[in-house]
């Protein structure tokens, strides 16, 4: 697999201190544990060809001198390309885990009082044990221990950001991205609430406003609302004790009158049990990415977004449809619309000739999408070479292909062969089936995989996106 990667230079540190520094001499000076990024690999072969053939190590172990900390102090971490579980240990005791996110991130981990000891200390970052580990190439480093609690580290400078839509001169939901001078996403003091969905370096705002604090320094702040909108950018210098206020304007760059932006594959941690986006955070991210017709597709559950969207006041930005990802051992199928009170399809069925009648017997359901057909789940790859002839669109096992749509783009499960699913769709068409091609995100997260990054545009009156004619939208989707 190949991927374009842009390496960003390290931080210019404001100060350095020797590894044998002892806080007994000066509690105001940080301890530099590792000033550079180190390339680690937990298992062979390498994950990406953009990484060197050989990693520097399989784990990062650094020894340093300190004294026992009488209060919480802070470990600053910079990481890149983390996909699997990597744990952080201090003196053989768990301190936390790296963020499972492939982005370049600068963040802070609390060190409890008494975790440091007088004399030599050992910081270890290693992959969490697994019988068959998936290869993960990462970079981690620029490790520094700040002699203050995380809350104090993150409260040095203050920011107030507003995002306006230029054409209407009104505040608009948006995604705000905060990038440190090094190029990494910068953790802030912001926390998720009924207006914000927050991850390191990313703040989704439902109101177009966000207040937060962060370490003093130089930053670039971006604001956007999905790819129909422009991207605003401002550089700012945040000095200690200062409050910096900035207003960013975005405008709709891609006019889509008579079409609505739909994401047919949307999850929440609340109901699917993996990923990290709570249902409240999901409502805010949908508004912030400009998704006007989201389909709720948690695994084997019928979930109605409307009560939560109304509670948070974002129901004016989209019309949700209740759906379900029917997750079987022989394929995953997104189905919608689901009528209120409808029974949940039996996902234990193991034959397509039984699954599709079960799906379409669900009250209200008219759409059945075959999801990520070349991915392996439960040891089954529906459009893999053992089951599917990609030249003539034939299923070797004789499974009936009664789905009426299929994903040709899944931005949460991208493939190195980017046109493979599109060619599969063409083969299915040539076989004589009428199947709608779909772009979706499969997002379970706030910012790791972005909701609406893959999306489908459907012809529909969009004069009031809070009251879309879903019947017409479904009809046009199928046609």
């Amino acid at each position: 697999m190949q991927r374009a990667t842009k390496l960003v230079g390290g931080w210019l540190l404001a100060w350095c201190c020797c590894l044998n520094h002892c806080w007994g001499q000066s509690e105001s000076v940080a301890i530099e544990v590792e000033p550079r990024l180190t390339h680690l690999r937990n298992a062979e072969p390498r994950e990406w060809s953009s990484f060197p053939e050989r990693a520097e190590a399989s784990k990062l172990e650094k020894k340093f001198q300190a004294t026992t900390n009488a209060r919480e102090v802070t470990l600053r971490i910079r990481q890149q390309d983390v996909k699997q579980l990597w744990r952080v240990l201090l003196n053989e005791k768990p301190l936390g885990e790296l963020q499972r996110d492939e982005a370049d991130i600068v963040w802070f981990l609390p060190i409890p009082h008494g975790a440091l000891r007088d004399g030599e200390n050992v910081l270890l970052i290693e992959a969490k044990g697994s019988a068959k580990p998936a290869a993960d190439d990462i970079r981690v480093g620029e490790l520094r221990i700040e002699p203050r609690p995380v809350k104090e580290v993150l409260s040095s400078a203050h920011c107030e950001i507003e995002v306006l839509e230029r054409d209407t001169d009104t505040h608009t939901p948006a995604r705000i991205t905060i990038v440190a001078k090094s190029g990494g996403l910068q953790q802030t003091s912001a926390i998720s609430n009924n207006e914000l969905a927050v991850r390191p370096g990313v703040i989704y705002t439902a109101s177009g406003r966000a207040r937060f604090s962060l370490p003093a320094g130089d930053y670039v702040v971006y604001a956007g609302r999905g790819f129909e909108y422009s991207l605003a950018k401002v550089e700012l210098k945040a000095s200690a004790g200062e409050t910096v206020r900035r207003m960013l304007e975005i405008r709709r760059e891609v006019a889509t009158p008579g079409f609505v932006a739909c994401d047919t594959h949307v999850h929440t941690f609340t109901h699917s049990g993996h990923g990290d986006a709570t249902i409240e955070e999901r409502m805010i991210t949908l508004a912030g990415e400009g998704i006007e017709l989201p389909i709720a597709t948690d695994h084997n559950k019928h979930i109605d977004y409307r009560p939560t969207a109304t509670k948070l006041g974002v129901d004016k930005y989209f019309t949700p449809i209740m759906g379900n990802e029917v997750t079987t051992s022989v394929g995953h199928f997104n189905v919608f619309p689901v009528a209120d009170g409808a029974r949940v399809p039996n996902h234990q069925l193991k034959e397509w000739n039984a699954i599709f009648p079960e799906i379409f017997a669900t009250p209200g359901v008219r759409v059945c999408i075959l999801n990520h057909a070349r991915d392996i789940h439960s040891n089954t790859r529906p459009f893999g070479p053992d089951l599917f002839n990609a030249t003539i669109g034939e299923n070797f096992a004789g499974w009936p292909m009664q789905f009426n749509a299929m994903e040709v783009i899944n931005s949460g499960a991208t493939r190195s062969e980017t046109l493979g699913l599109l060619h599969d769709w063409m083969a299915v068409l040539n076989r004589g089936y009428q199947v709608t091609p779909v772009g979706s995100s499969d997002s379970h997260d706030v910012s790791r995989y972005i909701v609406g990054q893959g999306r489908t545009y459907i012809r529909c009156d969009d004069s009031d996106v809070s009251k879309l004619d879903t019947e017409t939208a479904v009809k046009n989707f199928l046609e």
Side-chain angles (χ1 to χ4, degrees):
M1 301 175 73
Q2 293 186 342
R3 181 181 59 175
T5 303
K6 181 180 179 181
L7 301 181
V8 183
W11 279 60
L12 178 62
L13 301 177
W15 63 81
C16 292
C17 56
C18 298
L19 291 181
N20 64 356
H21 166 76
C22 178
W23 271 335
Q25 299 169 3
S26 173
E27 292 192 357
S28 63
V29 181
I31 300 175
E32 297 297 338
V33 178
E34 175 52 70
R36 57 180 288 273
L37 290 170
T38 301
H39 171 207
L40 306 180
R41 180 180 299 144
N42 64 329
E44 298 293 340
R46 60 179 169 174
E47 181 188 13
W48 301 106
S49 60
S50 53
F51 279 91
E53 285 193 24
R54 293 188 178 182
E56 295 177 67
S58 61
K59 61 184 178 181
L60 180 63
E61 184 173 1
K62 303 302 296 186
K63 298 178 180 179
F64 61 96
Q65 298 291 318
T67 58
T68 301
N69 54 313
R71 64 171 184 164
E72 177 189 299
V73 293
T74 299
L75 175 64
R76 176 194 183 275
I77 300 174
R78 185 178 179 190
Q79 64 170 66
Q80 298 172 346
D81 226 311
V82 177
K83 190 172 184 179
Q84 306 301 328
L85 286 172
W86 292 75
R87 60 179 186 167
V88 183
L89 297 96
L90 178 62
N91 298 325
E92 300 182 342
K93 294 183 179 179
L95 199 61
E97 295 177 348
L98 297 184
Q99 307 271 341
R100 292 189 71 179
D101 196 317
E102 289 87 338
D104 186 344
I105 299 174
V106 178
W107 64 290
F108 303 95
L109 190 61
I111 299 177
H113 70 86
L116 292 170
R117 59 193 181 198
D118 293 338
E120 186 177 83
N121 291 258
V122 180
L123 184 71
L124 175 65
I125 298 176
E126 64 177 5
K128 204 166 183 178
S130 173
K132 294 182 179 180
D136 198 15
D137 279 283
I138 75 169
R139 292 186 180 89
V140 64
E142 298 184 14
L143 306 172
R144 183 172 67 235
I145 297 177
E146 299 279 1
R148 297 172 292 161
V150 172
K151 186 175 181 179
E152 290 185 17
V153 171
L154 290 175
S155 62
S156 179
H158 312 285
C159 292
E160 296 181 7
I161 303 295
E162 298 181 63
V163 184
L164 272 69
E165 186 165 355
R166 185 183 305 171
D167 296 335
T168 61
D169 197 31
T170 57
H171 289 86
T172 181
R175 172 188 171 112
I176 299 170
T177 305
I178 304 96
V179 181
K181 186 177 181 179
S182 68
L185 296 173
Q186 175 66 56
Q187 181 183 357
T188 72
S189 68
I191 58 174
S192 295
N193 54 35
N194 284 346
E195 288 192 4
L196 304 178
V198 180
R199 292 297 180 271
V202 173
I203 301 174
Y204 280 98
T205 169
S207 65
R209 300 178 176 86
R211 295 182 179 181
F212 55 90
S213 301
L214 74 179
D218 297 331
Y219 301 95
V220 179
V221 177
Y222 299 89
R225 194 177 179 225
F227 48 74
E228 293 177 38
Y229 284 81
S230 63
L231 184 68
K233 171 185 174 182
V234 63
E235 297 182 5
L236 60 86
K237 183 177 182 64
S239 301
E242 180 186 6
T243 298
V244 180
R245 298 177 177 87
R246 295 289 187 273
M247 183 176 294
L248 291 88
E249 288 187 336
I250 61 176
R251 64 176 298 171
R252 185 182 288 274
E253 296 285 357
V254 181
T256 59
F259 287 87
V260 293
C262 175
D263 192 342
T264 60
H265 201 159
V266 181
H267 292 275
T268 67
F269 172 78
T270 304
H271 296 291
S272 282
H274 60 290
D276 66 25
T278 66
I279 191 169
E280 291 81 9
E281 290 174 323
R282 176 57 70 222
M283 299 305 100
I284 296 169
T285 61
L286 289 169
E289 292 292 343
I291 299 300
E292 298 157 329
L293 190 68
I295 314 297
T297 55
D298 281 306
H299 295 284
N300 301 314
K301 293 181 180 179
H302 299 334
I303 303 301
D304 187 354
Y305 285 168
R306 289 173 297 181
T308 307
T310 300
K311 180 184 75 173
L312 299 183
V314 295
D315 52 330
K316 59 187 173 182
Y317 298 114
F318 53 81
T319 299
I321 293 180
M322 185 160 59
N324 182 342
E325 181 169 16
V326 182
T327 307
T328 78
S329 62
V330 290
H332 295 189
F333 307 93
N334 280 348
V335 305
F336 66 92
V338 174
D340 290 338
R343 63 175 182 79
V344 175
N346 180 4
H347 65 279
Q348 302 294 340
L349 298 173
K350 300 182 184 301
E351 299 289 339
W352 280 20
N353 57 7
I355 290 170
F356 291 122
E358 174 76 2
I359 284 173
F360 285 109
T362 305
V365 169
R366 296 175 58 198
V367 175
C368 177
I369 302 172
L370 174 62
N371 296 339
H372 39 65
R374 284 187 173 264
D375 287 6
I376 298 177
H377 293 280
S378 303
N379 295 317
T380 298
R381 180 183 292 174
F383 278 9
D386 294 337
L387 285 172
F388 184 72
N389 186 322
T391 303
I392 61 174
E394 178 185 14
N395 182 276
F396 291 139
W399 294 355
M401 291 192 285
Q402 294 173 345
F403 50 86
N404 51 23
M406 65 169 284
E407 292 179 342
V408 297
I409 289 290
N410 180 314
S411 60
T414 53
R415 304 186 56 80
S416 56
E417 187 183 359
T418 55
L419 297 180
L421 287 169
L422 183 66
H423 293 156
D424 291 340
W425 170 68
M426 292 179 177
V428 170
L429 291 186
N430 288 337
R431 192 76 182 178
Y433 296 99
Q434 181 172 329
V435 176
T436 298
V438 174
S440 68
S441 73
D442 198 2
S443 173
H444 294 71
D445 313 279
V446 168
S447 70
R448 182 185 181 189
Y449 299 114
I450 301 171
V451 71
Q453 189 170 37
R455 61 180 77 184
T456 300
Y457 283 86
I458 304 171
R459 188 177 295 279
C460 185
D461 179 5
D462 61 340
S463 56
D464 184 352
V465 295
S466 69
K467 298 177 181 178
L468 295 175
D469 182 348
T470 57
E471 176 67 23
T472 298
V474 170
K475 175 177 177 290
N476 289 339
F477 175 90
L478 289 172
E479 290 182 353

